[in-house]
Amino acid sequence: MPAKKQTNKLKHVPRGAPRPRAAVLNMAPYSPPTGNRAGNLRLDFNENTVGCSPRIIEFLKQQLTPERLSIYPDYATVRPTLAEFFRVDPAQLLLTNGTDEAIQVLINTYIDDNDEVLLLHPSYAMYRFYAEVAAANIREINYREGSLEFPLEELLAAISPSTRAVLIANPNNPTGTAVPLAGIERILKRARKAAVLIDEAYYEFCGITALGLIPDHPNLYVSRTFSKIYGMAAMRLGCLFSQSANVAFLHKAQSPYSVNALAALAAQEAIRDTAYVENYVTEALAARELLCVGLEKMRIDYIPSQANFVLMRIGKRSIEIRDRLREKQVLVRDRSYEIAGCVRVTVGTREQARRFLAALGEIL
Ligand SMILES: Cc1ncc(COP(=O)(O)O)c(C=O)c1O
């Protein structure tokens, strides 16, 4: 869960110590603001703000035995169970340690030094992170100025035969804007030599999925996560989907036990409790509406969102407002380092949105 990059690049190698690869030396370290978040109103990481389904906890308690913990994970049950839920063939699914590992495995499978990777800006920071570790040649296309809409024509124009990967969050974090399926199909047709990742971490709030395009597009990879709507961010579980021949290669580049057995167990109960997820989507969408109306009343500009967060244009006081909200135990994410004056707020329940608006109103 990366945050803003630090300007200090941490380049000093102690005398006598091995010298890291140039790609690592040249990277800025990431420092996620993860400390002391529990107990606050957590509107800063786009998590499920009320926690996972209680049924998952009960299920884990029932299933946990000393023997179970002593055995290496076995995915024989979870893989077909999740494949059925996502309506794909088990051979089209790779279980991953969160979406982050899905991105890493994809890059490790397809990207050599100096290979061209196309990213959008601003977007989820881990695309750049893994591409940098791999010493890729990174090119970034900006989301459209002002509206922060998906820059489809600009991206299509940037794709060339040397493009080896295109990494897209749909809807995007932190803009909340999305690209429709027709746009994704155009990208897939243009980027035939590239692995195209559509990261659907916020799918449930938006309803657009590229999963159905997999049979027709051998260059398509789709990821989903249990970190957001399912409230299982601590478990680290994601899924990466593609045609089975691709998944076989991804599998070769992945360590065999990267998904822990508790996460694999928890996911099976998570997908059984469909009511929990449906209710949360309904509540979060109502909260998003309430929040946007509240922002309009306060004359705060925002980007219309298709996800469980909203990017607000707060202006010059963005960092101060984030800090003053924190004093009131309301956590939000400053994004002004990538889009001037912008702060991102997660939506959860209407009650939480009211609390956030009240706190913001006291500060403004
Ligand atoms: C677009 C996007 N993808 C993936 C993730 C993280 O997913 P995971 O927890 O599954 O690694 C995030 C989290 O903020 C995100 O915004």
Side-chain angles (χ1 to χ4, degrees):
M1 291 295 216
K4 144 184 186 170
K5 283 187 147 193
Q6 290 173 353
T7 42
N8 163 18
K9 282 202 170 174
L10 194 76
K11 280 187 137 177
H12 174 71
V13 182
R15 192 198 300 262
R19 189 174 173 77
R21 291 166 52 231
V24 174
L25 270 184
N26 291 329
M27 288 172 71
Y30 286 89
S31 61
T34 45
N36 296 323
R37 295 176 60 241
N40 293 298
L41 179 52
R42 295 175 287 104
L43 306 182
D44 53 346
F45 273 84
N46 306 335
E47 296 155 336
N48 182 316
T49 59
V50 296
C52 72
S53 156
R55 277 177 48 179
I56 297 176
I57 308 290
E58 278 314 305
F59 184 69
L60 287 177
K61 280 185 190 157
Q62 284 164 18
Q63 298 287 323
L64 257 188
T65 59
E67 186 188 26
R68 202 146 205 167
L69 276 195
S70 68
I71 301 175
Y72 277 95
D74 166 4
Y75 309 118
T77 310
V78 66
R79 224 154 102 99
T81 306
L82 290 186
E84 191 185 345
F85 176 75
F86 289 110
R87 300 204 184 99
V88 298
D89 190 278
Q92 296 177 322
L93 159 66
L94 189 79
L95 295 172
T96 62
N97 191 285
T99 309
D100 292 354
E101 197 207 13
I103 302 163
Q104 183 185 33
V105 170
L106 188 91
I107 299 258
N108 285 350
T109 305
Y110 296 103
I111 302 301
D112 271 325
D113 279 20
N114 295 320
D115 277 354
E116 184 182 282
V117 174
L118 278 186
L119 306 180
L120 292 115
H121 180 82
S123 192
Y124 183 48
M126 294 311 270
Y127 307 143
R128 191 176 178 97
F129 175 90
Y130 287 116
E132 280 187 341
V133 175
N137 169 19
I138 300 170
R139 290 183 61 200
E140 282 185 330
I141 316 297
N142 285 329
Y143 271 79
R144 295 220 170 113
E145 179 112 26
S147 67
L148 295 178
E149 274 167 20
F150 188 84
L152 180 59
E153 300 303 331
E154 299 88 319
L155 178 62
L156 290 172
I159 293 168
S160 76
S162 49
T163 307
R164 296 282 288 131
V166 185
L167 310 182
I168 297 169
N170 201 38
N172 184 42
N173 173 17
T175 61
T177 47
V179 54
L181 276 190
I184 294 173
E185 286 189 275
R186 288 181 66 194
I187 295 164
L188 290 166
K189 284 185 189 140
R190 183 72 66 93
R192 286 195 196 278
K193 298 256 166 66
V196 177
L197 173 69
I198 306 296
D199 172 350
E200 299 183 347
Y202 304 101
Y203 157 73
E204 292 82 358
F205 305 100
C206 160
I208 300 174
T209 178
L211 272 181
L213 301 180
I214 285 177
D216 292 331
H217 295 276
N219 54 341
L220 172 62
Y221 301 75
V222 177
S223 62
R224 293 281 184 89
T225 183
F226 283 84
S227 296
K228 303 299 180 185
I229 197 148
Y230 289 99
M232 287 169 43
M235 286 281 190
R236 313 305 300 129
L237 182 66
C239 294
L240 184 56
F241 306 93
S242 190
Q243 292 189 356
S244 56
N246 297 334
V247 170
F249 285 124
L250 296 165
H251 206 45
K252 278 178 83 175
Q254 186 189 33
S255 78
Y257 303 116
S258 59
V259 170
N260 76 74
L262 293 187
L265 267 180
Q268 295 171 60
E269 187 62 18
I271 58 168
R272 277 194 284 269
D273 197 354
T274 48
Y276 191 80
V277 168
E278 282 162 16
N279 290 340
Y280 191 77
V281 175
T282 308
E283 182 62 29
L285 295 186
R288 190 174 75 193
E289 182 62 24
L290 192 147
L291 185 115
C292 291
V293 170
L295 292 177
E296 282 163 25
K297 282 192 187 142
M298 286 189 242
R299 296 186 190 284
I300 296 173
D301 206 8
Y302 63 89
I303 304 295
S305 169
Q306 301 212 47
N308 64 334
F309 51 84
V310 176
L311 192 68
M312 310 173 286
R313 293 185 189 278
I314 294 280
K316 289 204 174 82
R317 292 178 63 202
S318 60
I319 292 178
E320 178 212 330
I321 285 174
R322 178 212 47 199
D323 291 345
R324 295 201 44 202
L325 283 170
R326 189 190 291 146
E327 284 163 16
K328 293 175 181 291
Q329 296 190 301
V330 178
L331 308 181
V332 296
R333 275 294 273 281
D334 168 61
R335 307 299 292 214
S336 58
Y337 58 92
E338 53 188 4
I339 328 165
C342 281
V343 170
R344 190 193 68 200
V345 56
T346 303
V347 289
T349 67
R350 280 167 291 183
E351 197 271 320
Q352 291 170 335
R354 282 190 203 99
R355 246 182 88 189
F356 162 76
L357 288 169
L360 184 63
E362 286 165 22
I363 294 167
L364 287 176

